């Protein structure tokens, strides 16, 4: 049976997922467990993490909390081979709509949150890479907003553009540490955050239809589909991949289909 200590391509490996209490993070933690990893979830509210994961309550905006949380996770897991930087927050509006305080908060969570977790995790990842070459990775949850101009997403897009640039810089910096660094760029995903956004829309059904229609597949991607890409990049099977942004966007970035009808 797969799971902690079981068989699978992550058997014997430790993984930590930030923001793993819901949505894409929870789906990623569940898949890592199914593939044999020992998994810890670091989240402000980790109660929604899948059964079998070590639950660590911490906020990625709190440096001391992150350091303590990662230390506690590694103590439980025994080693850390895969870090998934998934914790994030959203924002809606043009540059006129979000004030400086909101800009500071979103950048603090989406960008500096990754910096804090990587900074705390790197000593553990280096140690694991020395003992198990080819098995160590950092994978960030980025967004199609980093590479495509989306309406009403100025702040969010700026934060995810920074995540993409950070991913490439880190991939270069940690080549000789034996640590691969990649990111996944979801399109619009059917997650709790999007559900809350739809609830606030004047016509939720029309807004959902619009979000579905803007992706060539004709629907939003699922948390499980994004998780599958994250886990692929984190897997030892992807040992030749670093500095890559993998889009899971229903074709939104690259396809320009002709209208039907």
């Amino acid at each position: 049976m797969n799971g902690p200590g079981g068989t699978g391509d992550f058997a014997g490996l430790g993984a930590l997922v930030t923001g793993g209490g819901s949505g894409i993070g929870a789906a990623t933690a569940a898949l890592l467990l199914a593939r044999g990893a020992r998994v810890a979830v670091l989240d402000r509210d980790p109660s929604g993490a899948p059964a079998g994961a070590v639950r660590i309550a911490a906020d990625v905006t709190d440096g001391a909390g992150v350091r303590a949380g990662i230390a506690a996770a590694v103590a439980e897991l025994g080693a850390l081979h895969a870090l998934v930087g998934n914790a994030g927050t959203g924002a809606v509006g043009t540059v006129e709509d979000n004030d400086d305080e909101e800009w500071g908060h979103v950048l603090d969570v989406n960008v500096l949150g990754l910096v804090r977790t990587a900074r705390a995790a790197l000593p553990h990842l280096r140690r694991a890479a020395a003992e198990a070459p080819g098995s160590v990775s950092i994978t960030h949850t980025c967004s199609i907003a980093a590479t495509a101009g989306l309406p009403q997403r100025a702040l969010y897009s700026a934060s995810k553009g920074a995540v993409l640039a950070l991913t490439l810089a880190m991939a270069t910096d940690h080549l000789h540490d034996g640590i691969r660094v990649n990111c996944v760029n979801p399109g619009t995903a059917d997650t709790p955050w999007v559900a809350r956004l739809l609830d606030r829309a004047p016509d939720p059904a029309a807004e959902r239809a619009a979000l579905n229609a803007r992706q060539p597949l004709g629907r939003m991607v699922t948390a499980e589909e994004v998780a599958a890409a994250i886990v692929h990049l984190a897997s030892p099977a992807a040992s030749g991949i670093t500095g890559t942004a993998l889009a899971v966007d229903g074709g939104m970035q690259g396809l320009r289909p002709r209208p039907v009808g």
Side-chain angles (χ1 to χ4, degrees), residues 17 19-20 22-29 86 141 186 189 191-192 222-224 226-227 230:
V17 181
S22 66
I24 291 168
T28 299
N86 171 77
T141 302
T191 62
T222 67
E224 289 74 19
V226 180
I230 292 171

Side-chain angles (χ1 to χ4, degrees), residues 13-18 37-43 46 52-58 64-84 117 120-121 124-125 127:
L13 304 184
L16 184 143
V17 181
T18 69
R38 300 186 300 271
V39 178
V41 162
L42 187 151
D43 199 303
V54 176
R55 295 184 170 107
I56 305 289
V66 168
R67 290 191 296 274
I70 288 180
V74 174
E76 289 282 343
L77 300 176
L80 182 61
H81 300 83
L83 172 64
V84 177
T117 53
H124 305 288
L125 293 169
R127 190 176 308 118

Side-chain angles (χ1 to χ4, degrees), residues 142-155:
C142 189
S143 172
I144 193 66
T147 57
L150 303 181
Q152 297 285 314
R153 295 292 187 276
L155 168 51

Side-chain angles (χ1 to χ4, degrees), residues 181-204:
V181 187
N182 298 289
C183 66
V184 170
N185 289 2
T188 305
D190 201 352
T191 62
W193 185 80
V194 169
R196 291 191 293 272
L197 187 68
L198 291 171
D199 287 342
R200 295 196 297 269
D203 186 340

Side-chain angles (χ1 to χ4, degrees), residues 213-217 250-252 254-260:
R214 76 179 182 180
Q215 297 188 155
L217 279 181
M252 185 176 177
L255 305 185
R256 299 293 182 271
R258 297 174 68 176
V260 176

